[in-house]
């Protein structure tokens, strides 16, 4: 499922996206290449920028032509370029057979040929959690002593400090109290001795420090990077989560950090460092490789997987995408072997020994002493031999877990090296130990400080000289001597039955806000690029440049929330508030710019000042950071009209039923050409027992919006020649007859057990007593889809962990309130169910759409409103289950960051919580008969298939207790939230793709891709602040940058002006840069 980046122009420009292209390896080996110097100067990109004189239409058509004809997207790098230097050091790739046979079925299926898959590991491991002694999760590690006679042990000790951009403190609090001092310490202590090294990861802190640092410190920092003492690893704004984050946001945060780094310091990383995300996704490996990274390091994987990989010396491997049979995505991975990334768990298998070499734990420093009651002591001439040999023993034991004699030993922890005294204690003591080891040839070892790049360079050099391949190993053309692996590393467990599946759902309200910010930022970037290309007036340029700083802030606030304690929902309450406030501010800023941009593109902007308020406002707005969005009420008096402008951020024309809120049902909808548009009104509903009707009205109407275009519709009162909106018919079901029929609707109260809603393609049947879905008849086929809403009691769960007590129990009782809406454009069942609580924690709506002849008619829309508020719901976790008649054998598929799918299988040998997986946007299950049940989600949640035919999704969780992973609190700050799903039932999926025996992930259908795109990149509606008089001819207002839609298997990930200020400072005759990142979908 590759994506490509296309940039066209006549001259090169700095680009992070240029790294996202596939790289081509030379067809010959280059052994013993001289090591390239750290890349201090800026990298000359390989792609070209298209000039502004070319129209947007021509640019996109050329893009499509290039992709379809498979023309090369970039010139080859010159041999003297830094990029070429990196490529020459890598081995050529080679192709293998592009099919693998599923053994039981005999069906051939394209997929990667690898030595190890995580699926195979799960099937092989017995998950007994056996006590290994000193290395509790491993075994007693021993060595003979002659392992290093032929190749001495080379130890690289890598000092580092893990700085969370928000966790127990906000990012600003951490910066002021610790991170700024750590960066000061790094500069001061490294300058004292050229043998000292350090690595740094988070650009969010480095950029903040750069604003405060003196010119002398900045220059010193640059010099340290230039001479190789200080390496920037990863280069992202944060170390992002890999379970909940969408690939769009991952690209954004990596781009923002690396562009700042390149523009400010002139450095481009090639090694990634991810020691703290709670599980790892191959999507991240894929993106890193496409961005030009060569190596990556990971830490938090299931302890049983680590043990199994270590037994076979497979902790270093080539990570290959499961669908990549051409080996174009291979990246080298180092997995740390032990429990944690702190010093007691990094020097070797015995933490009681390693802790003695964490010299910041000596008395006098602020850190706790070693819990094993053997504390570090200052190294001196009297004890150096004994201490060095004790440390070297751990190094040797650790090295036996890997294939080469090159060993990586991280030296750091959270927010370490905060003072010069602490740093000196580490550097001083270790240097004395190194000097002793290095001065004794009989030890066959060399130890020194190093960077990640030092380590990987030495390892690759050794792998060039010594063949470490195991017999029959497939390996990789990327680097010989190591196994190839495919799959993901979810769900993470760090000990016993403690599975980190709770954070897939923690703080779901803010997970939803994250996605809203994502699609709003994407739409804003697109509109800004269109404004730049469409309007050449000075006022337009002022509009875009004046917004540049707020646009940068929005990018960075989105990037910040991708931190592995942000989008995960695993931070302190006040830190979550800080994240939320930042996102809310950016949402308001982005919507303001969008409202101004549509004025420009529609030609209705006449004032000269960019500060003049817009004529439009967003149709939905939030009053504060933790409030649900509220629809604007459109008020139209007799003889007036209010315009509604709709922006379509997708590449295909949209034909949808859209909805706005009006205060009167007597309205007419016109398009921009004064043509009458069919519409429907129905009462607005709310989550309030006994008072379901708000008194306002939902107006649904058909809308057609061109690809990446704008269209204007008019809501009028009193327009002759058009019928007013058709009132829907209502059916009311209430336990106490408390529902009264709202005016002017026609209501009925049926005495029936089953109620239906339908459109041309499907009929949905509901049980009246429970208000839950029972079955679906689609295009003549019957589907059993039993909906259940339940709760887990979870006294052991916390922000990170899901540890339920038994199975979930249904919470729905008979005879709640239900409203059925029957109309020509939308039909709905709204249920406010009866539960064991006076205030029910959930209400839900099920909708189908009619009369639009689009994909909207083929889906089922489910919306759950959840309020886990108050002590009644302490230690409760709310789920929805869809119990279908699909024979899936408890095998299902969930997406990885919205980019690709992963095959999931429920295992009895691990607990229920270990069978929960992340669901960033999609999960589906498929039977042997080819029927597929898919659930698309607008936000990240957790999913499981605990019984045959079941798909279970967790909606929210409220937890009193801390789960002993450092946070120090539960999750009690629940907000009212909505979870929106689009359910797709497909019966035409090929039955030859046997999901039971096929080890590879199945892909979503093209229809499913479109459904997901419509859900995650919705239409943006803006309403005129003032009504117009109907006596004045309404202007035809539309904007369509494309002559036709792009093919439906292409998705524009991003279309943007990377640096608006730089763009605007160029003369009109100079080439200008837009960036378009496009993803091709699998067919």
């Amino acid at each position: 499922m590759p994506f490509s980046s296309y940039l066209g122009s006549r001259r090169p420009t700095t680009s992070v996206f240029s790294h996202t292209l596939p790289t081509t390896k030379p067809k010959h080996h280059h052994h013993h290449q001289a090591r390239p110097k750290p890349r201090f100067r800026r990298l000359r990109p390989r792609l070209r920028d298209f000039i502004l004189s070319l129209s947007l239409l021509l640019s996109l058509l050329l893009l499509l032509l290039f992709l379809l004809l498979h023309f090369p997207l970039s010139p080859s790098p010159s041999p003297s370029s830094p990029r070429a230097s990196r490529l020459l050091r890598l081995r050529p790739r080679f192709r293998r057979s592009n099919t693998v046979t599923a053994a039981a079925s005999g069906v051939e299926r394209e997929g990667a040929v690898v030595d190890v898959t995580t699926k195979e590991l799960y099937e092989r491991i017995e998950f007994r959690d056996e006590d290994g002694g000193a290395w509790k999760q491993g075994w007693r590690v021993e060595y003979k002593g002659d392992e290093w006679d032929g190749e001495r042990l080379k130890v690289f000790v890598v000092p580092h400090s893990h700085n969370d951009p928000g966790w127990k403190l906000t990012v600003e609090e951490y910066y002021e109290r610790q991170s700024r001092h750590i960066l000061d310490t790094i500069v001061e202590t490294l300058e004292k001795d050229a043998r000292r090294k350090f690595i740094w990861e988070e650009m969010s802190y480095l950029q903040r420090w750069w604003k405060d640092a003196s010119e002398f410190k900045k220059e010193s920092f640059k010099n340290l990077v230039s001479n190789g003492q200080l390496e920037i690893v990863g280069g992202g704004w944060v170390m992002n989560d890999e379970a909940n984050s969408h690939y769009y946001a991952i690209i954004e945060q990596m781009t923002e950090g690396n562009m700042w780094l390149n523009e400010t310091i002139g450095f481009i990383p090639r090694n990634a460092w991810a020691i703290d995300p709670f599980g790892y996704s191959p999507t991240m490996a894929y993106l890193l490789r496409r961005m030009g990274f060569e190596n990556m390091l990971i830490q938090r994987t299931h302890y049983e997987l680590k043990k199994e990989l270590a037994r076979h010396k497979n902790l270093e491997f080539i990570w290959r995408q499961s669908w990549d049979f051409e080996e174009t995505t291979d990246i080298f991975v180092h997995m740390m072997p032990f429990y944690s990334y702190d010093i007691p768990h990094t020097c070797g298998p015995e933490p009681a020994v390693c802790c003695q070499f964490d010299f910041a734990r000596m008395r006098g420093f602020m850190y706790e002493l070693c819990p094993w009651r053997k504390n570090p002591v200052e190294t001196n001439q009297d004890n150096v031999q004994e201490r060095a040999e004790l440390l070297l023993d751990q190094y040797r034991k650790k090295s036996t877990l890997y294939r080469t004699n090159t060993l990586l030993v991280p030296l750091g922890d959270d927010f370490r090296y905060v003072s010069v005294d602490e740093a000196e204690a580490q550097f001083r003591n270790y240097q004395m130990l190194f000097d002793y080891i290095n001065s004794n040839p009989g030890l066959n070892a060399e130890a020194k400080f190093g960077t990640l790049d030092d380590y990987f360079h030495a390892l690759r050099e050794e792998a060039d000289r010594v063949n470490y391949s195991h017999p029959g190993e497939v390996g990789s053309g990327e680097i010989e001597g190591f196994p190839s692996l495919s799959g993901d590393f979810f769900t993470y467990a760090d000990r016993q039955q403690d599975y980190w599946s709770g954070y897939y759902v923690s703080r779901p309200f803010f997970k939803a806000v994250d996605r809203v910010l994502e699609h709003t930022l994407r739409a804003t970037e697109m509109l800004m690029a269109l404004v730049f290309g469409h309007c050449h007036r000075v006022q337009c340029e002022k509009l875009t440049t004046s917004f540049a700083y707020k646009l940068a802030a929005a990018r960075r606030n989105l990037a910040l929330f991708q931190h592995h304690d942000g989008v995960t929902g695993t931070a302190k309450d006040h830190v979550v508030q800080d994240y939320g406030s930042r996102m809310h501010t950016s949402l308001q800023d982005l919507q303001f710019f969008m409202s101004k941009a549509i004025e420009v593109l529609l030609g209705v902007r006449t004032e000269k000042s960019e500060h003049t308020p817009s004529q439009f406002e967003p149709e939905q707005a939030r009053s504060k950071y933790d409030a649900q969005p509220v629809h604007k009420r459109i008020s139209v008096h007799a003889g007036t009209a209010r315009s509604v402008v709709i922006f379509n951020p997708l590449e295909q024309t949209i034909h949808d039923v859209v909805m706005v809120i009006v205060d009167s049902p007597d309205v007419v909808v016109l398009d921009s050409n004064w043509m009458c548009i069919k519409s429907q009104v129905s009462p607005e509903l709310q989550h309030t027992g006994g008072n379901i009707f708000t008194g306002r009205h939902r107006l649904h109407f058909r809308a057609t919006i061109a690809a990446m275009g704008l269209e204007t519709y008019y809501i009028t009162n009193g327009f002759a020649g058009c019928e007013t909106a058709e009132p829907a018919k209502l059916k009311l079901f209430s336990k106490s007859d408390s529902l009264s029929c709202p005016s002017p609707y026609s209501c009925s109260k049926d005495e029936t057990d089953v109620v239906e809603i339908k459109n041309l393609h499907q009929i949905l049947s509901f049980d009246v007593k429970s208000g839950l879905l029972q079955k679906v008849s689609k295009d003549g086929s019957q589907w059993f889809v039993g909906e259940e809403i339940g709760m887990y009691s979870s006294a052991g769960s916390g922000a990170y962990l899901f540890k339920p007590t038994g199975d979930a129990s249904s919470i729905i009782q008979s005879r709640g309130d239900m409203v059925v809406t029957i109309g020509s454009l939308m039909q709905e069942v709204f249920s406010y169910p009866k539960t064991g609580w006076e205030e029910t924690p959930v209400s839900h709506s099920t909708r189908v759409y009619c009369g639009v002849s689009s994909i909207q008619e083929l889906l089922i829309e489910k919306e759950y409103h959840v309020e886990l508020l108050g002590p009644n719901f302490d230690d409760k976790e709310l789920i929805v289950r869809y119990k279908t008649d699909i024979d899936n054998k408890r095998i299902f598929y969930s997406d990885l960051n919205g980019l690709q799918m992963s095959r999931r299988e429920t295992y009895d040998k691990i607990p229920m919580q270990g069978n929960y997986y992340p669901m960033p946007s999609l999960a589906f299950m498929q039977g042997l008969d080819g029927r597929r049940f898919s659930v698309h989600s607008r936000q990240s949640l957790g999913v499981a298939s605990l019984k045959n035919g079941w798909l279970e999704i967790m909606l929210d969780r409220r937890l009193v207790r801390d789960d002993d992973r450092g946070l120090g609190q539960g999750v009690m700050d629940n907000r009212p939230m909505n979870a929106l799903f689009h359910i797709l039932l497909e019966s035409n999926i090929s039955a030859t793709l046997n999901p039971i025996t096929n080890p590879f992930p199945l892909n979503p259908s093209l229809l499913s891709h479109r459904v997901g795109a419509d859900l995650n990149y919705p239409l943006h509606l803006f309403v005129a602040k003032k009504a117009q008089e109907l006596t004045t001819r309404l202007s035809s207002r539309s904007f369509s940058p494309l002559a036709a839609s792009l093919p439906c298997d292409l998705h524009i990930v991003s279309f943007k002006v990377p640096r608006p200020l730089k763009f605007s400072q160029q003369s009109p005759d100079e080439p200008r840069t837009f960036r378009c990142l496009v993803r091709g979908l699998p067919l």
Side-chain angles (χ1 to χ4, degrees):
M1 306 170 80
F3 66 86
S4 303
S5 160
Y6 173 75
L7 318 166
S9 170
R10 296 191 199 148
R11 66 175 197 167
T13 183
T14 300
S15 170
V16 169
F17 283 137
S18 61
H19 287 271
T20 64
L21 291 168
T23 57
T24 303
K25 300 295 182 185
K27 296 184 178 180
H28 55 280
H29 291 277
H30 284 257
H31 295 287
H32 312 298
Q33 288 290 326
R35 185 183 180 192
K37 296 180 180 179
R39 289 156 297 157
F40 182 68
R41 65 185 179 86
R42 297 185 182 178
L43 181 68
R44 293 179 65 86
R46 284 81 58 209
L47 303 180
R48 306 223 176 141
D49 308 316
F50 64 86
I51 58 176
L52 190 61
S53 59
L54 295 177
S55 70
L56 177 61
L57 171 61
L58 180 60
S59 302
L60 289 172
L61 291 177
L62 285 173
L63 161 66
L64 178 59
L65 182 63
F66 270 61
L67 290 173
L68 294 179
L69 296 182
H70 299 283
F71 285 161
L73 299 180
S74 64
S76 300
S78 65
S80 61
S81 71
R83 162 105 182 208
S85 299
R86 298 211 313 265
L87 297 186
L88 291 174
R89 291 173 50 247
L90 301 179
R91 294 181 179 274
R93 296 195 175 98
F94 52 91
R95 289 193 180 186
R96 309 182 201 281
S97 170
N98 62 0
T99 59
V100 176
T101 300
S105 65
V107 175
E108 287 194 337
R109 173 83 203 288
E110 285 192 347
V113 182
V114 294
D115 300 295
V116 182
T117 68
T118 53
K119 176 183 181 297
E120 293 167 352
L121 291 174
Y122 260 74
E123 291 175 349
R124 185 189 314 158
I125 298 170
E126 296 183 2
F127 297 93
R128 292 180 175 177
D129 187 29
E130 295 175 339
D131 192 333
W135 177 18
K136 190 171 181 63
Q137 295 172 339
W139 65 88
R140 181 183 175 88
V141 180
E142 297 176 332
Y143 56 87
K144 297 177 182 179
D146 59 356
E147 290 88 342
W148 304 277
D149 289 349
E151 182 83 27
R152 66 175 176 172
L153 181 63
K154 300 176 292 296
V155 182
F156 290 90
V157 175
V158 180
H160 70 97
S161 180
H162 180 59
N163 286 239
D164 290 300
W167 182 36
K168 294 182 179 181
L169 302 176
T170 67
V171 61
E172 188 64 22
E173 289 170 339
Y174 271 136
Y175 172 75
E176 291 293 345
R177 298 184 192 184
Q178 292 170 294
S179 297
R180 67 183 304 173
H181 305 296
I182 294 169
L183 285 162
D184 287 341
T185 296
I186 292 170
V187 173
E188 183 175 342
T189 55
L190 293 191
E191 285 188 316
K192 294 179 180 179
D193 189 337
R195 296 173 296 178
R196 297 175 176 180
K197 301 292 184 77
F198 207 90
I199 62 171
W200 185 265
E201 208 278 337
E202 295 85 3
M203 293 307 98
S204 50
Y205 281 124
L206 184 56
Q207 182 270 343
R208 181 71 176 82
W209 178 82
W210 203 262
K211 289 170 57 178
D212 294 341
S214 65
E215 291 302 318
F216 176 79
K217 284 185 179 180
K218 291 178 184 177
E219 195 62 31
S220 297
F221 191 97
K222 285 184 176 182
N223 290 336
L224 291 170
V225 173
S226 179
N227 67 25
Q229 280 185 264
L230 176 58
E231 181 188 4
I232 307 299
V233 291
W237 200 248
V238 298
M239 185 187 295
N240 61 266
D241 169 59
E242 300 190 22
N244 302 282
S245 290
H246 194 271
Y247 76 91
Y248 171 84
I250 295 174
I251 293 172
E252 282 296 310
Q253 82 88 11
M254 288 295 294
T255 301
E256 192 61 30
N258 276 279
M259 287 187 70
W260 178 88
L261 177 62
N262 188 23
E263 292 170 355
T264 307
I265 301 177
F267 183 81
I268 297 177
R270 61 182 171 192
N271 304 305
W273 170 268
I275 58 173
D276 206 23
F278 323 134
Y280 298 92
S281 168
T283 296
M284 193 69 198
Y286 171 71
L287 295 177
L288 288 171
R289 190 70 191 110
R290 284 291 182 256
M291 293 174 183
F293 286 80
E294 299 167 7
N295 311 293
M296 58 186 295
L297 178 146
I298 61 177
Q299 153 60 19
R300 290 189 184 271
T301 60
H302 197 300
Y303 65 93
E304 292 278 15
L305 266 68
K306 287 192 177 194
K307 182 178 179 179
E308 180 67 17
L309 291 171
R311 282 198 184 279
H312 301 280
K313 296 192 175 186
N314 289 338
L315 285 168
E316 289 181 319
F317 54 86
I318 305 298
W319 204 345
R320 182 174 301 152
Q321 303 300 308
S322 63
W323 40 265
D324 177 24
F325 56 84
E326 293 186 330
E327 303 181 14
T328 61
T329 61
D330 289 2
I331 187 169
F332 185 76
V333 179
H334 173 97
M335 182 187 292
M336 295 168 64
F338 306 127
Y339 173 76
S340 176
Y341 55 79
D342 62 1
I343 296 173
H345 295 94
T346 51
C347 90
E350 301 171 37
V353 175
C354 291
C355 192
Q356 298 174 47
F357 295 92
D358 184 357
F359 294 100
R361 292 179 187 254
M362 292 189 296
R363 298 188 185 278
F365 293 102
M366 62 180 180
Y367 305 106
E368 66 178 0
L369 299 176
C370 292
W372 298 272
R373 299 183 179 178
K374 290 185 178 180
N375 298 310
V377 295
E378 185 74 25
T379 308
N380 54 49
Q381 293 301 325
D382 294 331
N383 66 7
V384 65
Q385 178 179 351
E386 178 266 330
R387 306 305 292 171
E389 291 177 354
L390 182 63
L391 179 61
L392 182 57
D393 176 64
Q394 291 298 302
Y395 290 166
R396 287 170 172 168
K397 288 177 178 177
K398 181 178 180 178
S399 74
T400 65
L401 308 180
Y402 295 90
R403 298 191 180 190
T404 74
N405 287 334
T406 303
L407 182 65
L408 172 67
V409 179
L411 183 68
D413 202 344
D414 292 354
F415 296 98
R416 284 298 190 93
Y417 300 88
V418 75
S419 70
V420 172
D421 287 344
E422 177 194 341
E424 287 294 338
Q426 301 284 27
F427 284 122
R428 179 180 67 250
N429 281 279
Y430 269 94
Q431 191 60 58
M432 182 172 288
L433 295 166
F434 296 162
D435 290 344
Y436 178 83
I437 293 171
N438 299 338
S439 63
N440 286 271
L443 296 177
N444 285 333
E446 176 189 5
K448 59 183 177 180
F449 295 115
T451 62
L452 207 54
D453 196 59
D454 293 333
Y455 170 73
F456 284 123
H457 173 74
L459 179 140
R460 286 176 177 268
E461 186 178 58
E462 182 179 340
D464 275 344
R465 292 185 288 101
V466 184
N467 183 8
Y468 289 106
S469 297
H470 289 182
E473 199 164 68
V474 174
S476 170
E478 172 71 23
I479 177 175
E480 291 181 1
F482 300 93
S484 51
L485 178 147
S486 69
D488 63 271
F489 295 98
F490 297 110
T491 288
Y492 169 56
D494 59 348
R495 60 179 184 246
Q496 288 115 29
Q497 295 190 339
D498 290 358
Y499 284 81
W500 295 44
S501 48
Y503 80 94
Y504 302 154
V505 189
S506 295
R507 270 68 176 255
F509 175 89
F510 293 103
K511 285 177 166 65
V513 175
D514 166 62
R515 293 298 172 82
V516 174
L517 180 56
E518 283 180 37
H519 71 66
T520 305
L521 175 62
R522 177 182 175 274
T524 303
E525 300 265 27
M526 191 175 287
L527 284 174
M528 174 172 279
L530 293 173
V531 168
F532 265 120
H534 175 76
C535 178
H536 305 284
R537 300 196 307 271
V538 174
Q539 291 85 355
C540 298
E541 196 157 279
K542 285 183 178 179
L543 170 64
T544 51
T545 55
S546 65
F547 183 68
Y549 294 106
K550 291 184 176 180
L551 178 62
R555 292 171 177 171
R556 291 175 179 182
N557 286 336
L558 174 64
L560 182 67
F561 194 62
Q562 304 317 304
H563 165 54
H564 56 265
D565 283 307
V567 68
T568 55
T570 55
K572 289 278 192 183
D573 290 350
H574 79 285
V575 179
V576 174
Q577 180 178 347
D578 181 64
Y579 288 137
S581 297
R582 290 170 181 267
M583 290 193 290
H584 178 64
T585 298
S586 290
L587 275 173
Q588 290 181 312
D589 292 339
L590 294 173
Q591 289 177 331
F592 176 79
F593 176 82
M594 291 179 73
S595 67
K596 306 281 277 188
I598 63 176
E599 291 180 322
V600 173
L601 296 174
L602 292 178
V604 299
R605 182 177 170 85
T606 57
E607 77 285 345
K608 296 183 178 181
S609 172
E610 69 274 12
H611 301 294
T612 304
S614 171
Q615 300 178 25
F616 299 96
E617 60 185 350
E619 191 272 332
Q620 289 189 67
R622 298 171 188 263
S623 59
K624 57 180 181 176
Y625 80 95
D626 61 350
Q628 285 280 82
V630 175
H631 291 276
K632 296 285 185 181
R633 177 175 58 87
I634 299 176
S635 179
V636 184
H637 301 294
T640 64
R642 293 278 288 275
S643 56
V644 176
V645 178
I646 307 175
F647 173 58
N648 173 17
L650 292 176
E651 315 77 19
Q652 292 83 32
T653 298
I654 293 293
H655 306 277
D656 270 359
V657 172
V658 299
M659 189 272 290
V660 295
I661 298 297
V662 293
D663 62 355
S664 169
D666 300 320
V667 294
V668 170
V669 181
L670 306 175
D671 67 10
S672 59
N673 295 313
W674 278 46
M675 299 296 293
C676 305
I677 300 297
K678 186 175 182 178
S679 57
Q680 164 193 321
V681 288
S682 59
E684 185 186 31
L685 310 175
Q686 64 183 351
H687 175 91
T688 305
N691 191 23
I692 289 176
F693 303 111
T694 68
R696 307 192 306 178
H697 307 271
R698 294 177 293 176
L699 174 66
H700 289 85
F701 61 92
R702 295 174 181 170
T704 299
I705 310 97
M708 297 170 60
L710 294 162
E711 191 64 48
T712 304
Y713 289 86
Y714 298 97
I715 314 299
T716 70
N717 186 332
F719 187 81
C722 293
E723 294 182 1
T724 59
E726 175 188 358
K729 296 180 180 179
L730 306 180
K731 296 180 181 180
L732 307 181
F733 302 87
S734 176
K735 59 187 176 183
S736 58
D737 295 328
S738 59
L739 294 179
S740 57
C741 186
S743 176
Y745 301 100
S746 172
C747 301
S748 63
K749 295 185 178 182
D750 295 343
E751 295 295 331
T752 181
D753 294 331
V754 177
V755 68
E756 294 180 345
I757 57 174
K758 61 184 178 180
N759 62 16
L760 184 63
H761 298 278
Q762 47 197 0
I763 302 172
L764 281 61
S765 300
F766 296 81
D767 174 47
V768 170
K769 292 182 180 180
S770 64
L772 298 171
L773 181 63
Q774 284 186 323
K775 63 180 180 179
V776 178
S777 175
K778 182 167 185 179
D779 297 327
S781 299
Q782 294 292 325
W783 297 64
F784 176 78
V785 184
E787 181 183 15
E788 179 183 36
I789 298 176
M791 271 189 182
Y792 287 102
S793 294
S794 307
S797 295
Y800 302 94
L801 305 184
F802 173 38
K803 297 186 72 173
T805 305
D807 196 5
S809 300
S810 175
I811 64 170
I812 305 301
Q813 301 177 3
S814 297
R815 296 301 177 186
D817 292 339
M818 189 165 70
V819 177
V820 180
T821 302
I822 304 296
S824 58
L825 296 179
M826 186 277 296
Q827 298 191 11
E828 174 188 54
V829 171
F830 172 83
S831 175
Y832 184 88
K834 180 182 179 182
T835 65
W837 301 275
E838 183 176 350
E839 297 293 333
T840 187
V842 61
S843 61
H844 53 99
S845 297
T846 309
R847 306 181 189 99
V848 294
Y849 294 92
C850 317
V852 286
S853 299
S854 73
I855 63 171
Q856 199 178 25
E857 283 193 335
L858 303 176
L859 59 87
I860 301 168
E861 186 169 276
K862 287 289 305 186
E863 186 170 13
Y864 297 91
H865 181 87
V866 178
E867 295 190 4
L868 289 188
L869 309 178
N872 286 334
F873 305 108
D874 287 353
D875 292 326
K876 302 294 184 183
E877 300 180 80
L878 182 70
I879 59 104
V880 59
R881 280 179 181 157
Y882 301 107
K883 299 179 178 180
T884 75
D885 55 356
I886 291 178
D887 184 19
N888 74 322
K889 308 297 185 187
R890 301 192 299 172
I891 293 170
F892 70 106
Y893 304 84
S894 64
D895 71 303
L896 294 163
N897 315 101
L899 184 73
Q900 58 182 314
M901 303 302 294
S902 182
R903 182 184 186 275
R904 308 299 188 187
E905 185 169 348
T906 300
Y907 293 97
D908 293 327
K909 60 186 175 181
I910 61 177
M912 179 192 303
Q913 57 266 29
N915 288 299
Y916 247 83
Y917 293 96
M919 176 188 164
S921 63
L922 169 64
F924 65 79
M925 53 185 177
Q926 180 173 324
L928 296 174
D929 58 358
R931 292 191 304 156
R932 180 180 290 183
F933 179 86
S934 303
V935 179
H936 291 266
S937 173
R938 190 175 279 185
Q939 68 190 78
S940 181
L941 296 167
V943 64
S945 180
L946 302 178
K947 291 188 179 181
N948 189 39
W950 289 15
L951 196 67
E952 172 177 316
I953 302 170
M954 187 174 290
L955 301 176
D956 200 359
R957 52 207 311 262
R958 180 181 178 87
L959 306 161
V960 176
R961 296 169 180 82
D962 176 50
D963 51 15
D964 195 28
R965 293 306 184 275
L967 182 60
Q969 67 160 73
V971 180
M972 303 283 287
D973 56 346
N974 302 72
R975 273 85 173 177
M977 53 81 65
N978 285 13
L980 184 64
F981 300 153
H982 280 177
I983 297 175
L984 187 62
L985 279 59
E986 298 172 280
S987 56
N988 57 346
I989 304 298
S990 173
T992 62
L993 299 179
N994 188 328
I996 311 304
T997 59
N998 184 0
F1000 297 106
L1002 301 183
N1003 290 324
S1005 66
L1006 192 55
L1007 171 61
S1008 188
H1009 274 294
R1010 285 296 312 274
V1011 170
D1014 285 4
L1015 180 63
N1016 284 282
Y1017 304 103
L1019 300 171
H1020 293 260
L1021 278 66
F1022 291 83
V1023 181
K1025 295 178 181 177
K1026 296 181 179 179
Q1028 300 172 250
E1029 296 294 331
L1030 284 176
T1031 55
T1032 304
R1033 176 76 180 183
L1034 302 177
S1035 301
S1036 176
R1037 303 289 188 187
S1038 63
F1039 173 77
S1040 180
L1042 304 181
S1045 296
L1046 295 182
C1048 56
D1049 60 344
L1050 285 183
H1051 169 61
I1052 296 179
V1053 177
S1054 176
F1055 182 64
K1056 68 197 303 184
V1057 179
R1059 292 290 186 258
L1061 288 177
K1062 289 186 177 182
F1063 186 99
S1064 63
Q1065 290 167 0
Q1066 295 174 273
S1067 69
D1069 297 330
E1070 289 184 281
R1072 298 190 176 188
T1073 304
F1074 295 83
R1075 287 195 183 131
C1076 187
L1077 188 63
V1078 176
R1079 174 189 175 196
L1081 305 178
L1083 297 177

